[in-house]
Amino acid sequence: MAMKLLISLLLLSTYAAEAQVFDVTKYGAKPKGEISQALLSAWKEACASPTPSSVVIPAGTYTSNEVTFSGPCKAPIEMKLVGTLQANPNAASFKTDGWVVFEHIEGFTLSGGAPGDSPNTDGIHVGRSSQIYILDTDIKTGDDCISIGDGSQQVHVERVTCGPGHGISVGSLGKYPDEEPVSGIFVKNCTLTDTSNGVRIKSWPASPGRTTASDIHFENIIMNNAGNPVLIDQEYCPWGQCKSLDPSKVKISNVSFKNIKGTSSTQEAMKLVCSKSLPCENVEIADIDLAYHGPEGPANYTCANIQPKFTGKVNIPEAAATCGGAAHA
Ligand SMILES: *[C@@H]1O[C@H](CO)[C@@H](O)[C@H](O)[C@H]1NC(C)=O
Ligand SMILES: *[C@@H]1O[C@H](CO)[C@@H](O)[C@H](O)[C@H]1NC(C)=O
Ligand SMILES: *[C@@H]1O[C@H](CO)[C@@H](O)[C@H](O)[C@H]1NC(C)=O
């Protein structure tokens, strides 16, 4: 139950070299201590700085009460998390529904530990957390811009631009035993540019335990040359890491992809591949307008173990009778 957000950072920072550093420990933050006031004081000074600044949370584990970092700031600003920031376990005292909120900031970078081209460096990873808001943020990274892991509940991602990066993902799920359910995920008004994937839900085959992912909604998303823009992949197996290709045991239900427009860099613009043993249920696909301009022909759509409900206008023809589901107009 303890609210814990691990912002496992990892963005490319283009100006970190010359940024002025505002170290929270100079503002009273102590490891293992509650540091919201120190964070706010450091943020306030950094935000007022006329030159690029970096608020640094050094190595160590810190806790924080709810805190909102507001802009506008005078120059680009970075929050650099080297240590680990956890929510104060006494979450019942929280007055608002956000824990760490960034708002009204231009030129904001959340960054830390890892070089931009390294694998598995998610921009923001959310896990075992609830009531998380990621708003008005520009993310460039070598892995997922945002990944939403097991145990995430009520996560709102709005007006985020992503790219380069691997897109915005729920998952990967189903790799470990005892994963907690994911539910209440709302990704809205985001723009993905030159990303290798778009918006997706991914789970590993042959999961050691059973879990669920439900109430997940992607809406008003613009794709500029994004690969696999609309994707459910329950056979997610990068680098051939899977011991077996048995069906995923993550049950996906109550999902929508609505108003997703733009261009795809892969012919397969929409792919919905669900688990053979636990088919996806109640998935709505509405108003999809994705174009592919490669030599192979127009964008196509494939699916398995799902019978999506199509509404509005969907301009991608079904590739083949692989869906095991109803055809659409
Ligand atoms: C989100 O996108 C929709 C559709 O493009 C638009 O009508 C709406 O104004 C946007 N909302 C915000 C808050 O940007
Ligand atoms: C899915 O939605 C239906 C209808 O709204 C609801 O009854 C059901 O409990 C939901 N399932 C999950 C797993 O959230
Ligand atoms: C759909 O696109 C994929 C990826 O390019 C391709 O392998 C497949 O043959 C296409 N299907 C059809 C029916 O065009």
Side-chain angles (χ1 to χ4, degrees), residues 28-44:
K30 294 201 173 62
K32 301 203 172 78
E34 194 285 311
I35 64 166
S36 55
Q37 285 315 312
L39 276 169
L40 281 173
S41 305
W43 176 267
K44 198 173 163 202

Side-chain angles (χ1 to χ4, degrees), residues 5-9 11 97-105 108 110 122-127 129-139 144-149 152 154-162 168-169 185-190:
L5 175 67
L6 296 175
I7 302 175
S8 56
L9 56 156
L11 307 193
D97 53 8
W99 170 46
V100 174
V101 177
F102 296 99
E103 63 183 20
H104 312 306
I105 309 161
F108 173 64
L110 179 65
D122 293 339
I124 298 177
H125 177 74
V126 178
S129 313
S130 61
Q131 306 289 1
I132 302 296
Y133 288 79
I134 300 169
L135 310 175
D136 301 293
T137 303
D138 185 16
I139 302 176
D144 292 329
C145 287
I146 296 177
S147 72
I148 298 168
S152 300
Q154 306 304 320
V155 177
H156 298 259
V157 175
E158 291 181 27
R159 298 180 303 276
V160 166
T161 62
C162 162
I168 298 178
S169 288
I185 310 298
F186 304 88
V187 177
K188 280 190 184 173
N189 291 63
C190 295

Side-chain angles (χ1 to χ4, degrees), residues 7 33 38-39 70 129 155 185 214 237 263 305 321 328:
I7 302 175
L39 276 169
S70 299
S129 313
V155 177
I185 310 298
S214 60
C237 181
T263 52
N305 309 309
H328 63 96

